[in-house]
Amino acid sequence: TGASTLPIDSPAIASPKKVKWPSLTLTGKLGKGPRGAAMLNGQIVGVNESIDEVKVLTIDTQGVQLEYLGETKFLKVGNSTD
């Protein structure tokens, strides 16, 4: 009937690869919201700033939300991306 099908190994249906995050440790944070700051690997970064290509999305009372290559992670103080 002329219908086309994708081969089984097509990238369109292949499972995504796991993202290898840079090693970051959250050692502290100050404040929350858009004016908050986080201490990641000894560097102070704010919302919408990046460290090792990892962007800080939000800072709240519990920790920080990070984004790297389209994947997100939430870190609490004392935790790392490892």
Side-chain angles (χ1 to χ4, degrees):
T1 63
S4 65
T5 59
L6 292 173
I8 290 178
D9 62 350
S10 169
I13 58 174
S15 60
K17 292 184 178 179
K18 185 165 173 67
V19 173
K20 173 71 172 130
W21 283 67
S23 179
L24 295 175
T25 301
L26 178 64
T27 54
K29 60 180 199 61
L30 179 64
K32 61 181 179 178
R35 295 178 59 168
M39 174 93 49
L40 290 162
N41 288 6
Q43 292 185 8
I44 297 174
V45 291
V47 174
N48 293 321
E49 294 181 348
S50 298
I51 177 173
D52 294 341
E53 299 181 32
V54 176
K55 184 177 180 180
V56 176
L57 297 177
T58 61
I59 300 172
D60 66 25
T61 57
Q62 300 296 313
V64 299
Q65 185 77 32
L66 305 172
E67 186 269 332
Y68 180 68
L69 299 178
E71 184 177 290
T72 61
K73 282 190 179 187
F74 186 82
L75 287 185
K76 292 183 178 184
V77 174
N79 291 346
S80 72
T81 55
D82 295 331

